[in-house]
Amino acid sequence: MKRTRIVELLNSSNLGETVCAKGWVRTRRGNKNIAFIALNDGSTINNIQIVVDLSCFDEEFLKPVTTGACIGVTGLLVESQGQGQNTEIQAQEIEVYGAADPSVYPLQKKGHSLEFLREIAYLRPRTNTFGAIFRLRHHLAFAIHEYFNKQGFYYFHTPLITGSDAEGAGSMFQVTTLDMNHPPKTAEGKIDYSQDFFGHATNLTVSGQLEGELGAMALGGVYTFGPTFRAENSNTPRHLAEFWMIEPEVAFYEIDDNMDLAEDFLKYLIRYALENCRDDLEFLCKMYDNELIDRLNFVINNDFVRLTYTEGVEILEKSGQSFEFPVYWGADLQSEHERYLVEKHFKRPVILTDYPKEIKSFYMKQNEDGKTVRGMDVLFPKIGEIIGGSQREESYEKLMKRIDELNMSTECLWWYLDTRKFGTAPHSGFGLGFERLILFVTGMANIRDVIPFPRTPNNAEF
Ligand code: 4AD
Ligand code: MG
């Protein structure tokens, strides 16, 4: 018989119908005469209750039906006697697909710590918590495509293997097929990358922006949505070595248009989650973060504060707060500074603009003052920076001057610089860290808990 997803069975009004459900046993309880099996198939946080009249089943046959086992059940869909669910199934036939020996299956009880579950990341999708998080992740990914599609932006696929360092931060993973033990050498004794697969040195991308800009200069508005890689050794609850980023890039956008887009985009996504993932959000709110749903509603219902970096630093200097990292004009803001502005001072999301050029990337549009660039960071409660972006420098001369100041090589960037020679235009864009968004929307505290298989220093086993 064809299987129906549990989410549909729980909302069905076809009582008395024979149905088939398949899933994993969350719990089994009962007595000598009757067993109650809570079954989950990942389609919803809620389980369907299977009622088993033990006089109709062989005891030995039902023995493997324990927590974690996979079964298929055919039976009558009836109104539930229990509280908190509409329907349940009176089992007529049970098929056991796979047992999960209770003496070794790690997910026996409820309420395992998140740290423990991280160690068994290959099984944690089967818990309520991670089911909720990964469903939310899916819905938000879908909402991102929906948003841009409605706005007339094109999904532009940028390469993962690249010869350039978009952020100039130098924390890249190298990609090579050379024999690491015996690499070919040049006359000067350096590794000879001309013999490597691509004929030159390559890395995994840290951002699709530079290629995204090429797309924007032809298609008008584009966005990327893909994995990015950073080999920075920052063991924090907000950094991954492999994370997903969404990077819209738009021709003719100035910095204010960019800020409007970022604010509208974030609000759209949060509203989407509230409207489409209610059960999962309510579960996370109850279990991990009582203020979660209020916080999400607050963000969609209030304007973000917009101010310059210089104004932000003045507020921090006058705050009388003692920070771990000192604040002064020119300092790169740390998460503690960002969160002070958002959580203590303004009590709402903040967009900071016009940063000192020294702490931002080479491609940002230079302001008249010669000191600041038209960068923008969106700062969120509990997260700090969720979006980083800017208006781009469209003048070839100014961009080259900055590249020279920074002693950057143009060898790998000639194609990017050509956009400024051929039909250059004002344009802007930003990058939203997908996992930081999921952190905010789920209320989780550690970024390792919002991606199925986190990649962090010393951790890439499964
Ligand atoms: O501020 P970032 O480095 O900006 C860029 O990469 C630009 N090229 C974006 C653009 O203008 N198109 O990164 C953008 C966002 C950050 O605000 C943060 O949310 C996220 O990416 N991010 C990380 N998320 C998880 N782990 C890391 N190691 C991250 N580094 C950045
Ligand atoms: Mg940034």
Side-chain angles (χ1 to χ4, degrees), residues 167 207 209 230 232 239-240 247 385-388 392 433:
E167 292 302 297
S207 157
Q209 177 196 323
R230 296 194 184 178
E232 44 194 357
H239 287 88
L240 290 166
E247 295 183 275
E385 177 190 338
I386 194 163
I387 278 181
R392 319 305 188 189

Side-chain angles (χ1 to χ4, degrees), residues 6-74:
I6 288 172
V7 67
E8 281 141 37
L9 294 175
L10 287 172
N11 293 311
S12 170
S13 47
N14 294 341
L15 300 177
E17 197 179 55
T18 302
V19 297
C20 171
K22 296 179 182 180
W24 293 268
V25 174
R26 281 295 160 77
T27 55
R28 173 182 169 176
R29 58 192 179 80
N31 54 37
K32 278 207 308 281
N33 307 318
I34 197 159
F36 299 103
I37 299 166
L39 196 68
N40 191 283
D41 67 358
S43 63
T44 157
I45 187 105
N46 300 308
N47 305 323
I48 195 158
Q49 172 154 282
I50 313 293
V51 183
V52 188
D53 179 350
L54 293 178
S55 65
C56 308
F57 289 87
D58 178 48
E59 203 186 310
E60 273 306 299
F61 174 79
L62 286 181
K63 241 192 178 155
V65 181
T66 56
T67 297
C70 185
I71 63 170
V73 181
T74 306

Side-chain angles (χ1 to χ4, degrees), residues 312-338:
V313 166
E314 270 167 28
I315 292 170
L316 291 166
E317 282 174 335
K318 288 193 195 133
S319 68
Q321 199 81 8
S322 66
F323 294 110
E324 189 187 338
F325 294 91
V327 265
Y328 52 89
W329 199 95
D332 204 357
L333 296 185
Q334 304 293 323
S335 170
E336 55 172 343
H337 307 131
E338 295 170 343

Side-chain angles (χ1 to χ4, degrees), residues 185-226:
K185 295 280 174 68
T186 61
E188 297 90 57
K190 292 187 172 157
I191 295 181
D192 183 8
Y193 286 107
S194 70
Q195 296 189 43
D196 204 348
F197 189 88
F198 297 105
H200 56 84
T202 50
N203 298 301
L204 290 177
T205 188
V206 294
S207 157
Q209 177 196 323
L210 302 191
E211 295 89 351
E213 287 185 47
L214 307 182
M217 289 295 110
L219 298 167
V222 300
Y223 69 104
T224 73
F225 185 1

